[in-house]
Amino acid sequence: MSTRDVQVRMCELAVSTREDARILRATLGSCVGIGLLWRARGTSGLAHCLLPEPVASVRAVPAERHGQEAKYVVDALPALISMMGAQAAPEGEIEAVLAGGANMMHHRTTIHEPIGELNVRMAQQLLAHARVRVIHTDVGGECGRQLTIDCGQQDYAVRRFSRPG
């Protein structure tokens, strides 16, 4: 990896510009990666989200979550838009790429739906509510993915990989 490469780890956000020409990468299983491209301004961002939203007891204490803006999808999208300075971006200018949300466990539980599916559904709902156009989705199934955002080229790529047998 070169110094231009930024590994966006679980619960992290990263933003870069065309001038910085960084490459943002997230390796995803059940986590969902949300990549945003604002081509008109040459700004891109990537969030690596662990869970869709906090449980009620955690939501009551937001100060404790400072520094974990990407742990939850519900916090990550507004934080990423804010870091990009895109709160007032014209509708349709920001594009999104979603990847991840896999079911990495072979068994299903009756407690809740697979976390990957919940992550993806929450991301899709929030993007629709924010009127951000999703241009590419590669989610679900049982394979891991790597989402790459090339900020210099204002482009993205998703690579799939399967877990060892």
Side-chain angles (χ1 to χ4, degrees):
M1 243 191 235
S2 76
T3 57
R4 296 184 335 129
D5 289 338
V6 176
Q7 183 66 38
V8 181
R9 292 177 175 80
M10 192 180 303
C11 304
E12 290 183 346
L13 302 166
V15 170
S16 186
T17 64
R18 187 179 295 126
E19 292 75 30
D20 295 337
R22 290 198 176 96
I23 296 173
L24 309 178
R25 297 181 199 278
T27 302
L28 309 156
S30 60
C31 290
V32 67
I34 304 170
L36 297 182
L37 302 167
W38 192 8
R39 298 176 207 260
R41 296 282 172 98
T43 304
S44 302
L46 180 58
H48 185 156
C49 307
L50 177 66
L51 298 167
E53 60 188 336
V55 293
S57 61
V58 175
R59 185 175 291 284
V61 191
E64 291 180 13
R65 294 184 2 231
H66 180 70
Q68 295 186 14
E69 290 87 358
K71 183 174 185 179
Y72 305 107
V73 176
V74 296
D75 296 331
L77 185 60
L80 193 57
I81 288 171
S82 177
M83 286 175 66
M84 292 173 65
Q87 301 90 322
E91 187 174 333
E93 271 196 16
I94 299 177
E95 300 169 325
V97 177
L98 288 179
N103 179 11
M104 301 307 287
M105 306 297 281
H106 283 294
H107 63 281
R108 288 197 177 252
T109 171
T110 57
I111 297 171
H112 57 73
E113 292 179 70
I115 206 69
E117 291 177 25
L118 295 171
N119 283 336
V120 170
R121 187 175 315 126
M122 180 64 73
Q124 289 171 328
Q125 289 172 358
L126 291 173
L127 288 164
H129 185 268
R131 297 184 177 194
V132 173
R133 186 168 55 104
V134 178
I135 59 171
H136 184 82
T137 303
D138 190 346
V139 297
E142 294 183 350
C143 67
R145 293 165 176 88
Q146 183 177 69
L147 173 56
T148 302
I149 305 291
D150 184 331
C151 301
Q153 298 298 314
Q154 291 286 287
D155 204 6
Y156 64 91
V158 179
R159 181 175 65 95
R160 290 179 172 215
F161 52 90
S162 56
R163 63 179 155 227

